[in-house]
Amino acid sequence: MHPVQVGVCGWGDHDLYPPGTPAREKLRLYAGHFPVVEVDSTYHAIAPPERMKRWVDETPEAFRFVVKAYRELTGHGRPRHAPERSWTELVREMTESVKPVVDAGKLSMMLFQFPPWYDCAAKHVKYLRKVREAFADFPLAVEFRNRSWFTADMREKTLRFLEDHAMIHVVCDEPQAGEGSIPVVPAVTHPEHALVRFHGRNVEGWNGSGLPDWRDVRYAWRYSDEELDEWVPRIRELQKQARQVTLLFNNNSQGDAAENAKQMIRKLGLKPVGPAPAQQELFDFMEDGMG
């Protein structure tokens, strides 16, 4: 496993597959392009362990998953028609869900992405401690979307808190669009892991939650060569401080994430990943037939 891994958020909606590829085949094919993926469907609903086990079995040994925590665990509230569950039940179900990934050694980290209204307040700091205690056995990444955590007088305190609690600070490239966005803070708070998420720089679309097409345009952004070049020295610095650096591209409202991720792989001089298990079986069969 290379000390820098590059992937995208989700695997279903990217321009990586032959036309007509069934959804159930896409993860296998995805793993032939990238060595890591963010599982974002778990934000909307906790996945059954059997589904997680299937995803584990469909990917190569060195493949890694960043699993996004369910929305009720990050203050986004319970969606309509979702069952009412206690805190204890939510923690138990999330823990059971990721167990197959952990058992296979394929969990990179669990990602807690907090909402824009989750500001730097005592009650929220207390909740972070509660999360750390509940998921004590997992590497946890924390992404803030409220600027108050990184004001001039709070930035170092925030980073120190994350470091003291063995939590991974998520470095973000996102639109600078007021209180509901954070600046680039390329810092490492965990010796094993660093995570960078690229959300694009669509300032106009970032805060437009009242618009009917908001979710279609929020992450609409194609990073230019120059914008990606800005990140190369930052990533090199992160490498000096963390054993594993993971880069995830989330700018896929218009299908740009996969190509930008591949551009970054080239810029960093990373080797392409190997084939997924199904592809390797095909190659082995062809070699046997030719022998």
Side-chain angles (χ1 to χ4, degrees), residues 24-42:
R24 65 181 179 275
E25 296 295 329
K26 288 185 175 180
L27 179 57
R28 291 181 184 267
L29 295 174
Y30 173 94
H33 293 269
F34 301 108
V36 63
V37 73
E38 178 182 305
V39 185
D40 50 14
S41 62
T42 48

Side-chain angles (χ1 to χ4, degrees), residues 185-199:
V185 182
V188 172
T189 59
H190 194 289
E192 294 295 313
H193 302 281
L195 174 61
V196 184
R197 297 180 82 221
F198 293 85
H199 298 302

